[in-house]
Amino acid sequence: MFNVLNKFFKFSGPENEKKFKASIVFSVFEAIFGAFKVPAIMYLLMGILNKEDLGKYIQGSAIILGVSLILQIAMRMKITMLQTEGGYNAASFKRIDIAKKLRYLPMGFFNEASLGNISSVATNTMEELSNVATRVVLTTTKGIIETVVIICFITAFDWRIGLISAVGMALFLLITTGMQRAAHGVSEDKVQADERLVGETVEYIQGISEVKSYNLCGEESKKINAANDRTVECNIRMEKRFVPYMFGENMVIRLLTVVVMSVCVYFYISGSMTLLYAIGMTIMSYMMFAALEAAGNFSALLHTVELCVNKANAILDLEDMDIDGKDEKPANHNLELKDVVFSYDKKRVINGVSLKIPEKTSLAIVGPSGGGKTTLTRLIARFWDVEGGEVTLGGENIKNYSMDSLMNNFSFVFQSVYLFNDTIENNIKFSNPAASHEAVVAAAKKACCHDFIEKLPNGYNTVIGEGGASLSGGEKQRISIARAIMKDAPIIILDEATANVDPENEKELTDAIHSLTKDKTVIMIAHRL
């Protein structure tokens, strides 16, 4: 249990870890103030048993309860804010860390890794972490701390009952630890089932047009249903594995309550404990095990916290490309490939290619599909690292540049354009968020897309939908070119930029490309020379 909580605190980052640890300190004070109910009750019992001035004892008990309640509420408010902020901040910051991590992974990772895995971790896992983890951490730590404090109070009154209570808590924690270990056996199956379900769902949505056109709705639905059934099966199997441990926790709590009460009665009858202490110890035992039960109810979810942390760390711990190069500008923009070799797995795609591309010149790479044209440009821009040979920019191996400084030299216009679910203006200035509206309009005019943008309902403030779904292929291409113009990089890579454009848009697109490539180094991939 404590290992999982500590792992979550470390995962949350230094600032959030401080908030969680501060909340634990406040939890100790809250538990102490809450435990003052015991002396308040015993003070009242003292008046009842001694048959003295009951009003005085009622008043004194009420004052103790009132002060402890006010202080307890103040501590609870502070704890809730600290743990809630820590939980939600941890999830949001880790999403950003994952996004940064993906920037520096080789493109080969995205060929091998499941899209469902990345999507699941960045969305479901982080959402589960922010919602479930915060409640689990808050409730579990509160229950454990309250139990420890009450045991300390009990021990101060009678060490024998304190020892019995401590043994009960140790047994409870032992069962909880066993439950966490049992979760490890099925957690991997659950992870794989969740990833498969997300992957099948994403694939179904992305390929919905093909599914409909070939009337495969039923067949494709079966795949999703099978993935869903697999997830249900894993969840049920995991819960069944937890049932014996949860039963054990409940049995320990209830049996030890009976044991404490029975021992208190025995000690009272034997004359080694006063009636006041016997009643007080019994009340405290109920309070203690109520707190422990609250922790136990959420302890089964600790495996979810650990699972979420492990899934996120699996991505964050992936080996980056070597990106610790120099953050500097090249002396010039001459490109050279020297005996470059590259393979996908065991399939050799580039074999000993050497060429020179002087700055401000144009290079056309023409050939059949699967010939390695796109791969060659990806190696030039270091989307992948070469297996043999080297690529240089300005006479310097591109590996010697930091990734950010290297990317500053390239702009890309791909055959398949991706636009974000945002306004047209924000899509155009994606590479330069601080750009003015006037600069955006100027880039749009050069890219020959200003006129059709002006005809849209909200002009440049029109939200175009995810992937630019509301625009035609030619319109998306021109906005992509406007985005590249905004970046104003010295090297332009055009990957089949006009392949999917209709004849009516091709002239405007060609004019836009001329504006983009003026006085630039141009590398163009095409099927048609």
Side-chain angles (χ1 to χ4, degrees):
M1 176 185 289
F2 299 108
N3 288 336
V4 175
L5 293 175
N6 187 55
K7 180 185 284 189
F8 173 68
F9 293 161
K10 296 291 184 185
F11 174 80
S12 300
E15 288 300 317
N16 295 314
E17 185 179 1
K18 288 179 183 177
K19 290 180 180 180
F20 283 121
K21 289 183 176 179
S23 74
I24 291 175
V25 174
F26 284 112
S27 293
V28 173
F29 286 105
E30 184 203 14
I32 292 172
F33 297 141
F36 269 99
K37 292 193 289 286
V38 175
I41 293 170
M42 293 186 71
Y43 186 68
L44 180 61
L45 286 171
M46 190 184 301
I48 295 172
L49 295 174
N50 294 335
K51 298 180 181 179
E52 298 178 3
D53 183 5
L54 191 58
K56 180 183 72 173
Y57 286 96
I58 292 174
Q59 185 179 11
S61 179
I63 291 171
I64 296 173
L65 285 173
V67 172
S68 67
L69 182 61
I70 292 171
L71 293 173
Q72 197 176 3
I73 290 172
M75 293 298 101
R76 174 54 28 197
M77 290 174 61
K78 187 67 176 176
I79 293 164
T80 302
M81 287 306 301
L82 284 170
Q83 294 196 343
T84 302
E85 287 176 4
Y88 283 105
N89 284 343
S92 61
F93 292 158
K94 287 303 173 182
R95 282 193 181 100
I96 295 171
D97 289 344
I98 289 172
K100 289 179 179 177
K101 183 73 175 183
L102 296 179
R103 290 182 60 199
Y104 300 117
L105 293 174
M107 290 298 292
F109 167 79
F110 301 98
N111 291 333
E112 297 164 5
S114 165
L115 178 61
N117 178 32
I118 301 172
S119 302
S120 177
V121 171
T123 53
N124 297 347
T125 301
M126 291 299 103
E127 188 68 22
E128 201 167 15
L129 195 68
S130 62
N131 288 331
V132 176
T134 303
R135 292 199 299 274
V136 170
V137 169
L138 191 149
T139 307
T140 305
T141 54
K142 178 178 180 290
I144 296 297
I145 290 170
E146 281 186 4
T147 304
V148 171
V149 169
I150 293 172
I151 289 175
C152 291
F153 268 74
I154 291 174
T155 305
F157 284 107
D158 192 298
W159 67 268
R160 297 169 297 179
I161 305 300
L163 180 61
I164 293 172
S165 301
V167 170
M169 182 177 180
L171 285 173
F172 177 88
L173 294 177
L174 188 65
I175 294 171
T176 301
T177 301
M179 181 164 57
Q180 302 309 313
R181 289 176 178 171
H184 292 159
V186 292
S187 60
E188 186 61 33
D189 289 342
K190 176 175 166 52
V191 169
Q192 293 177 358
D194 288 344
E195 290 175 3
R196 183 180 175 186
L197 178 59
V198 175
E200 293 291 353
T201 304
V202 170
E203 184 180 32
Y204 183 84
I205 294 171
Q206 289 179 333
I208 191 65
S209 59
E210 283 75 15
V211 171
K212 285 185 175 181
S213 64
Y214 289 98
N215 196 26
L216 295 173
C217 295
E219 292 298 323
E220 293 301 308
S221 296
K222 286 180 182 178
K223 292 174 66 178
I224 294 179
N225 290 338
N228 189 55
D229 291 341
R230 173 65 176 162
T231 304
V232 171
E233 178 192 341
C234 288
N235 286 327
I236 292 175
R237 186 150 46 93
M238 181 172 282
E239 292 302 321
K240 284 182 177 179
R241 185 164 292 192
F242 288 157
V243 166
Y245 295 95
M246 296 174 73
F247 176 76
E249 287 179 340
N250 285 319
M251 286 299 295
V252 166
I253 290 170
R254 279 148 183 77
L255 286 175
L256 280 169
T257 304
V258 173
V259 170
V260 170
M261 185 171 62
S262 301
V263 170
C264 286
V265 171
Y266 173 77
F267 287 159
Y268 169 68
I269 294 172
S270 64
S272 62
M273 181 181 286
T274 64
L275 179 59
L276 176 64
Y277 274 26
I279 296 173
M281 294 299 100
T282 302
I283 293 172
M284 279 195 279
S285 70
Y286 277 101
M287 290 174 56
M288 174 183 65
F289 292 119
L292 201 56
E293 185 176 25
N297 289 338
F298 278 83
S299 63
L301 292 175
L302 282 173
H303 81 279
T304 302
V305 178
E306 186 175 27
L307 200 61
C308 291
V309 170
N310 290 342
K311 287 173 70 175
N313 281 337
I315 294 177
L316 294 170
D317 292 340
L318 288 168
E319 187 176 354
D320 291 333
M321 295 175 70
D322 181 11
I323 58 174
D324 296 326
K326 295 176 287 187
D327 191 11
E328 64 179 15
K329 293 182 178 180
N332 55 61
H333 296 101
N334 294 331
L335 288 163
E336 185 173 1
L337 281 70
K338 300 177 181 177
D339 200 24
V340 168
V341 175
F342 181 77
S343 303
Y344 291 116
D345 294 326
K346 297 180 180 180
K347 182 182 178 182
R348 182 63 56 86
V349 179
I350 306 295
N351 189 16
V353 172
S354 298
L355 61 90
K356 294 181 179 180
I357 310 172
E359 65 176 349
K360 297 184 180 180
T361 62
S362 296
L363 169 72
I365 304 176
V366 183
S369 296
K373 304 186 299 298
T374 298
T375 300
L376 199 62
T377 60
R378 298 299 192 267
L379 294 174
I380 291 172
R382 209 190 168 197
F383 282 17
W384 290 284
D385 276 332
V386 299
E387 293 176 14
E390 65 174 358
V391 180
T392 65
L393 172 63
E396 186 87 30
N397 192 316
I398 59 174
K399 293 182 180 180
N400 296 334
Y401 295 98
S402 68
M403 186 60 72
D404 289 336
S405 63
L406 179 66
M407 284 299 102
N408 287 336
N409 298 285
F410 294 94
S411 283
F412 303 88
V413 180
F414 300 115
Q415 176 182 354
S416 178
V417 177
Y418 189 87
L419 300 179
F420 296 92
N421 186 18
D422 204 342
T423 64
I424 286 180
E425 178 157 338
N426 286 339
N427 269 281
I428 291 175
K429 64 180 185 181
F430 183 74
S431 61
N432 186 10
S436 65
H437 174 70
E438 289 73 21
V440 172
V441 172
K445 287 181 177 178
K446 288 182 180 179
C448 303
C449 55
H450 173 73
D451 290 341
F452 85 78
I453 293 173
E454 286 288 283
K455 294 177 182 178
L456 294 173
N458 296 311
Y460 284 85
N461 291 320
T462 301
V463 176
I464 55 179
E466 186 175 352
S470 60
L471 301 178
S472 70
E475 290 169 341
K476 288 193 288 187
Q477 285 284 10
R478 278 178 276 166
I479 289 176
S480 176
I481 291 171
R483 186 159 61 189
I485 289 173
M486 285 293 296
K487 186 175 182 181
D488 195 28
I491 302 170
I492 310 296
I493 296 178
L494 303 169
D495 189 352
E496 294 287 347
T498 62
N500 295 327
V501 179
D502 56 80
E504 294 178 357
N505 285 322
E506 189 165 7
K507 183 182 184 304
E508 289 186 335
L509 191 58
T510 303
D511 292 340
I513 289 173
H514 284 311
S515 297
L516 170 65
T517 58
K518 187 177 181 181
D519 296 324
K520 309 284 187 183
T521 303
V522 181
I523 302 173
M524 179 177 285
I525 296 173
H527 285 290
R528 294 176 298 164
L529 185 58

